[in-house]
Amino acid sequence: MIIQNPPSDPLSDLLAVVQARPACSVRLEAGGEWSLRFRPQSCKFNVVRHGHCWLVAGDERRRLSPGDCVVIKERAEFTLASDPSLDPVDARVAFADNTLQGRYGSGNEVEILGGSVTFDATDASPVLDLLPPTLVVSADATAAAPIAWLLDQLDREWREGLAGSRTACDDLLRLMFIHALRAHFAQAGDHAPGWIAALADPPLAAAIRAIHAEPARQWRLEELAGIARQSRSTFAARFKARVGVAPVDYAAGWRLTLAAARLRSGRESASTVAGSLGFLSDSAFGAAFKRKFGVSPGRYRVASAQRDEPVAA
């Protein structure tokens, strides 16, 4: 068997940079009249296993059905309820006896599997900027078909509790989160944010994938236009209209995003990062980095290390 390297995948690259870590966290059963208010500290991901309930988030009121997926952006308060007119109580009361298995009201008319998606604490904006405050993927949406299968597997792993089930649940939730993002982008179409919309445009997608495949390369406009098989002027105008920035600026921004992620890891010096990502000098790297992040690479690296230090007991 010949195993080839997969083509560059910008979304996977981005999720790796922000260290997206989905974790299956809770199961909630509820019945009768009930209303629970959630105040998440991270991005929340919920799937209705059976029954119906209402989602209340800001001005949005939406009835959820079995198989519906909900992604709530980080720190956005929301309520799940049998009736949106009921006054909610803090969701922590449902998990007072078991932090992983919540129960509220009478019976189990509704069952919801919930999890969280955490990102690197320093800068999760590249992913969060792609999400609306509340994202609902209906079970009957064409792009949601894989989620139904994943939901069945997630439910089976949770219930059977076999060796490694917690890790399996986390991995299944990771796949569900990615499919939810795909469904959102497919539904948004041309209105999808920034470079996501460009990935649906084959010439632009080819250029973006080339940038991600070789981030250290000093890309020139004519090179990227050649990959897109368009004239320089047509390509430049089309890229900026879809992505919001010029092609060369996108390449430079992605290189700095990668540089920041590597500095946050604390395993490399600023000089090493600069050299490996194609910057002509440490001073050129420092100037470009400071323009984007407001601080020098060295100070950024030190500040990231201090944030990650464990708190003494």
Side-chain angles (χ1 to χ4, degrees):
M1 179 183 293
I2 298 175
I3 300 177
Q4 298 178 334
N5 291 330
S8 180
D9 175 3
L11 181 58
S12 293
D13 293 343
L14 181 59
L15 292 174
V17 164
V18 299
Q19 299 178 28
R21 297 179 297 275
C24 197
S25 55
V26 298
R27 177 190 294 271
L28 172 65
E29 294 181 353
E33 292 189 350
W34 60 278
S35 181
L36 297 171
R37 180 190 296 112
F38 296 81
R39 295 187 174 94
Q41 295 303 303
S42 59
C43 186
K44 297 296 293 182
F45 185 89
N46 294 311
V47 186
V48 180
R49 182 56 182 156
H50 72 75
H52 297 80
C53 66
W54 284 88
L55 167 70
V56 180
D59 294 331
E60 182 173 2
R61 305 286 188 277
R62 179 153 181 169
R63 191 168 187 259
L64 302 178
S65 300
D68 287 353
C69 299
V70 180
V71 179
I72 304 291
K73 188 182 283 194
E74 194 171 35
R75 302 180 190 279
E77 181 179 296
F78 67 101
T79 295
L80 297 175
S82 60
D83 182 336
S85 66
L86 296 173
D87 291 331
V89 299
D90 195 302
R92 287 179 294 183
V93 302
F95 299 91
D97 297 328
N98 187 334
T99 58
L100 298 179
Q101 184 77 37
R103 296 181 183 276
Y104 195 75
S106 57
N108 59 345
E109 298 166 3
V110 182
E111 184 178 18
I112 298 170
L113 297 179
S116 62
V117 184
T118 59
F119 307 101
D120 184 282
T122 305
D123 185 13
S125 61
V127 167
L128 294 178
D129 288 348
L130 301 177
L131 292 169
T134 305
L135 167 60
V136 179
V137 180
S138 297
D140 57 3
T142 302
I147 297 177
W149 182 87
L150 290 167
L151 178 57
D152 286 339
Q153 305 308 307
L154 179 63
D155 185 62
R156 183 175 295 109
E157 286 289 343
W158 188 292
R159 290 183 183 279
E160 294 180 357
L162 300 176
S165 62
R166 191 60 185 265
T167 299
C169 286
D170 290 350
D171 288 343
L172 287 165
L173 187 69
R174 184 191 311 276
L175 289 171
M176 294 176 74
F177 179 67
I178 291 172
H179 279 287
L181 290 179
R182 287 178 178 175
H184 168 56
F185 300 149
Q187 183 177 355
D190 290 343
H191 300 290
W195 54 270
I196 288 294
L199 292 179
D201 186 324
L204 300 186
I208 291 174
R209 290 192 175 99
I211 290 169
H212 280 250
E214 297 184 71
R217 182 169 175 171
Q218 299 287 336
W219 288 100
R220 294 179 299 169
L221 177 59
E222 54 266 30
E223 293 174 323
L224 294 170
I227 291 171
R229 298 185 178 184
Q230 295 178 336
S231 69
R232 288 178 52 178
S233 58
T234 297
F235 171 70
R238 190 168 176 175
F239 192 101
K240 188 165 186 178
R242 279 295 188 98
V243 181
V245 297
V248 173
D249 291 339
Y250 177 86
W254 175 243
R255 194 184 332 161
L256 288 169
T257 297
L258 289 177
R262 289 171 59 177
L263 290 172
R264 290 196 298 271
S265 73
R267 293 187 293 269
E268 301 171 277
S269 67
S271 181
T272 299
V273 170
S276 65
L277 286 175
F279 289 92
L280 300 180
S281 67
D282 289 355
S283 60
F285 173 52
F289 193 93
K290 190 169 185 178
R291 281 196 299 271
K292 182 174 176 65
F293 294 101
V295 295
S296 69
R299 290 189 63 182
Y300 185 92
R301 183 175 183 271
V302 170
S304 297
Q306 291 174 341
R307 277 190 292 269
D308 292 338
E309 287 179 355
V311 178

